[in-house]
Amino acid sequence: MPRVLSPEVSVVDGRKQKVLATLIDDYIATAEPVGSRTLARKYAFGVSPATIRNEMADLEELGYLEHPHTSAGRIPSDKGYRYYVDRLMRPSALDPDVIEQIRATYRVRVRELQWFIHQTARLVAEMTAYPTVVLAPPLHEARLWDLRVVAIEPETVVLVLRTDTGIIQNRTLALPEGLDAKDVAAMAADFTTRFRGTLLAELQERVLDGLSHQLGHSWRLWEELLGWLAEAPDEAERVTLGGALNILNYPEFRDVSKVRRVLSFLETEAAIDSLLTRRPEHGVLALIGSEIDREDIQDCSVVMASYELGHKVVGTLMVVGPKRMEYRRVYAILETVSEELSRVLNWA
Amino acid sequence: MPRVLSPEVSVVDGRKQKVLATLIDDYIATAEPVGSRTLARKYAFGVSPATIRNEMADLEELGYLEHPHTSAGRIPSDKGYRYYVDRLMRPSALDPDVIEQIRATYRVRVRELQWFIHQTARLVAEMTAYPTVVLAPPLHEARLWDLRVVAIEPETVVLVLRTDTGIIQNRTLALPEGLDAKDVAAMAADFTTRFRGTLLAELQERVLDGLSHQLGHSWRLWEELLGWLAEAPDEAERVTLGGALNILNYPEFRDVSKVRRVLSFLETEAAIDSLLTRRPEHGVLALIGSEIDREDIQDCSVVMASYELGHKVVGTLMVVGPKRMEYRRVYAILETVSEELSRVLNWA
DNA sequence: CTTAGCACTCGGGGCATGGGAGTGCTAATT
DNA sequence: AATTAGCACTCCCATGCCCCGAGTGCTAAG
């Protein structure tokens, strides 16, 4: 008859914690269910397998471990991982080399936001060896700062849109007959003074409301121009994916259909967005397996962090991998990268 | 004792051709080795399996078919596919709907080249159901047309680079102290008049030769500016990949390691470049299995077509899939898409 | 409380077996 | 001479079986 265990107290028991932590570390490293003998031999526990066996049985009863089948070792449950992440794992100190690599990435001449986002996705994917998603600030939430016109040819101009978050989009535009670049430049200047500071989302709405009629300028041109303004926020590439193929390195994804599930998830903007409700304002946060409320990637974990621009939280980094993820390392990397990224974006 | 067959003549034999064509069609559709019985029953041949068997044995001896093992049906050899592509397959007429879908994609307001390339990759990947790569014209081969400066803030400007092929890149630049936007604009104008028409590759070289010294303007700014010009061609994203996940739908890629081989190939610019030596100037070309001289994707086929800009061949479309590819359909789609794309890029 | 001992469970690898698909040859048919 | 029926043969592969080993859970002794 099993001992009766009062849940929270017993896990606090030092040895149980050590067993759980060690088991999870081992399982993260090997992807094989861990047995009592392995645990006792491989790590210096100073107790016999039988003792460990008892502890493991308790941990299972408490819901921290599971049994794929009778004669296999144990694997962590979602609850087990959660406990590990919240209480057990020692924060990992990044190697100075690694920190230097991160800093070096951002130690560059002035670049545009999109460049930083790309580099970040690439960097984190490479360093963690998991697929990584970086979300750019949604253009809808940005405010118009500046609309400029560059004459390129008599009948062609380039529009340069700049927002308060420093995002720049440009777009070539053919001029309707009878207008030259100067007219357009004047219109743009007028437009800028009128609407500087307005949310792009709001402008978008107003366009649909027929803003162009009220402006009195050349009707057709404004239609095009405002049409573009209205489209720009939707067209902007918000999700940047790095190292998608990393997923193929993990044995839990030896099955092609699982690979498809995860990769389609990562390529679907709406899917990624659905995770954003959980985004942490500060620090790093993990969603483990069933904590993600989407069926398609229930056997994955997601680790997220935010970054700031103009001292406001605007974007997100996400690392996606098997539940058996190297949380320690990923936490450390995301912490450092999100800090450094925020720093460079805030020109500090 | 097998009959002696003079190679080229005998394949011309009508029935052998029909057997070969039908077998390949069936294999393309099913991915299963095709046996004589299946062939005779499923398609109205009017002869018995035994006869087909003889034909198949001949075709194998001639090198057009292979035998995975004694008791399996036949599959086409690379030579067989080649013969099929060159002589056997009837060109497929695209459905009017499909043609309309292609046209509609390009029936848009003025856009930049990069937009067309993205759309094309997406469109072809969706229509063929294979991964698709679109190559942009290499910036090295473009000529400087225009360098413009837009003042954004007192100490920040946006540079807009335009080439003869209409490619636009822009870049934010922080001004060194003591310079204002007007100075820079003047410099840029000067630069444009001096170097309009020069190959970017050449400019790149000259930069390395210390061009900035000769220009006499503010030394530091030119360094930055020219540094950017020198980098731009290398940074430009030349390879656009669409529908990478399509590869997962084909049973020959049920094995994750094969998926990895193909997808890493597609993500490696240098690898893609190595195929370019075979790019056709006109029309559509297939490389089948061993005809691709790279080991990593020997069990794939690549179908390519070029597109024109300014009436010069500058870029390439590639569809990548298993050797058992739907050549008919892919040929038809690539033909139409490359024509329509060239048309829209040439403003016709 | 810990541990040795031991019976028990279960998944998976190895091996034999049989069925089925397909071939290739021969001989008969047209 | 070409076609086809017949048939023996080959070989893959799914199935079932057995056995091994890893791991457990219980009991009883230290």
Side-chain angles (χ1 to χ4, degrees), chain B residues 289-344:
Chain B
S290 53
E291 296 173 5
I292 309 168
D293 43 2
R294 298 189 51 102
E295 304 89 27
D296 36 2
I297 57 161
Q298 293 259 319
D299 43 5
C300 293
S301 283
V302 180
V303 182
M304 305 193 268
S306 300
Y307 64 86
E308 300 184 355
L309 195 160
H311 302 286
K312 258 175 47 190
V313 169
V314 293
T316 311
L317 318 177
M318 299 185 185
V319 174
V320 180
K323 291 199 289 191
R324 176 186 71 83
M325 188 188 277
E326 286 198 60
Y327 295 100
R328 288 183 60 204
R329 189 170 166 74
V330 173
Y331 264 67
I333 290 171
L334 278 194
E335 248 162 43
T336 308
V337 169
S338 66
E339 269 169 29
E340 292 294 323
L341 177 60
S342 295
R343 167 146 45 163
V344 73

Side-chain angles (χ1 to χ4, degrees), chain A residues 101 120-130 132 242-243 246 329:
Chain A
Q101 194 191 342
T120 303
R122 198 194 46 70
L123 178 72
V124 175
E126 187 197 316
M127 297 204 319
T128 62
Y130 298 109
T132 301
N246 284 341
R329 189 171 164 73

Side-chain angles (χ1 to χ4, degrees), chain A residues 109-112 148 150-153 162 170-172 224 231 235 245 249 254 256 260 263, chain B residues 109-112 148 150-153 162 170-172 224 231 235 245 249 254 256 260 263:
Chain A
R109 285 175 299 212
V110 183
R111 296 283 177 157
E112 269 136 47
R148 295 304 186 95
V150 189
I152 284 294
E153 277 173 25
R162 190 142 158 283
N170 60 356
R171 167 71 176 275
T172 314
E224 285 226 35
E231 282 169 16
E235 278 187 9
L245 295 186
N249 297 326
R254 208 171 306 137
V256 170
R260 184 178 8 228
L263 293 188
Chain B
R109 284 174 300 212
V110 184
R111 297 281 178 158
E112 270 137 45
R148 294 303 187 94
V150 188
I152 284 294
E153 277 173 25
R162 190 144 158 283
N170 61 354
R171 168 69 177 277
T172 315
E224 283 227 37
E231 280 168 16
E235 278 186 11
L245 295 186
N249 297 327
R254 208 170 307 137
V256 170
R260 183 178 9 226
L263 294 187

Side-chain angles (χ1 to χ4, degrees), chain B residues 126-330:
Chain B
E126 187 197 317
M127 298 206 317
T128 61
Y130 299 109
T132 301
V133 166
V134 180
L135 271 108
L139 213 43
H140 298 88
E141 294 172 17
R143 291 170 186 284
L144 174 74
W145 189 248
D146 222 26
L147 183 62
R148 294 303 187 94
V149 174
V150 188
I152 284 294
E153 277 173 25
E155 73 287 4
T156 313
V157 295
V158 172
L159 294 177
V160 180
L161 168 67
R162 190 144 158 283
T163 67
D164 60 339
T165 47
I167 298 164
I168 291 173
Q169 292 239 324
N170 61 354
R171 168 69 177 277
T172 315
L173 205 67
L175 294 187
E177 280 186 40
L179 272 182
D180 72 6
K182 274 188 193 153
D183 302 326
V184 186
M187 289 188 206
D190 177 32
F191 188 80
T192 300
T193 51
R194 283 205 208 204
F195 293 111
R196 173 169 290 181
T198 313
L199 274 181
L200 291 192
E202 201 183 319
L203 279 179
Q204 204 174 5
E205 268 176 42
R206 291 221 221 162
V207 168
L208 301 178
D209 283 1
L211 180 64
S212 54
H213 290 291
Q214 307 158 25
L215 288 167
H217 294 298
S218 158
W219 199 82
R220 263 199 36 81
L221 178 68
W222 275 115
E223 271 216 328
E224 283 227 37
L225 194 156
L226 295 174
W228 171 56
L229 267 184
E231 280 168 16
D234 300 326
E235 278 186 11
E237 221 178 70
R238 276 188 52 228
V239 176
T240 301
L241 175 57
L245 295 186
N246 285 340
I247 200 73
L248 300 177
N249 297 327
Y250 302 97
E252 28 274 277
F253 297 93
R254 208 170 307 137
D255 179 2
V256 170
S257 68
K258 284 187 187 159
V259 172
R260 183 178 9 226
R261 272 222 305 283
V262 174
L263 294 187
S264 339
F265 177 89
L266 294 178
E267 290 192 347
T268 309
E269 191 166 319
I272 298 287
D273 270 343
S274 75
L275 300 180
L276 274 188
T277 55
R278 313 288 201 62
R279 158 174 65 161
E281 290 290 301
H282 300 291
V284 182
L285 178 84
L287 296 178
I288 299 163
S290 53
E291 296 173 5
I292 309 168
D293 43 2
R294 298 189 51 102
E295 304 89 27
D296 36 2
I297 57 161
Q298 293 259 319
D299 43 5
C300 293
S301 283
V302 180
V303 182
M304 305 193 268
S306 300
Y307 64 86
E308 300 184 355
L309 195 160
H311 302 286
K312 258 175 47 190
V313 169
V314 293
T316 311
L317 318 177
M318 299 185 185
V319 174
V320 180
K323 291 199 289 191
R324 176 186 71 83
M325 188 188 277
E326 286 198 60
Y327 295 100
R328 288 183 60 204
R329 189 170 166 74
V330 173

Side-chain angles (χ1 to χ4, degrees), chain A residues 135-177:
Chain A
L135 272 108
L139 214 41
H140 298 88
E141 293 172 19
R143 290 171 187 283
L144 174 73
W145 189 248
D146 220 28
L147 184 62
R148 295 304 186 95
V149 173
V150 189
I152 284 294
E153 277 173 25
E155 74 286 6
T156 314
V157 295
V158 174
L159 295 177
V160 180
L161 167 68
R162 190 142 158 283
T163 68
D164 61 339
T165 47
I167 297 164
I168 291 174
Q169 290 241 325
N170 60 356
R171 167 71 176 275
T172 314
L173 205 67
L175 294 186
E177 280 188 37

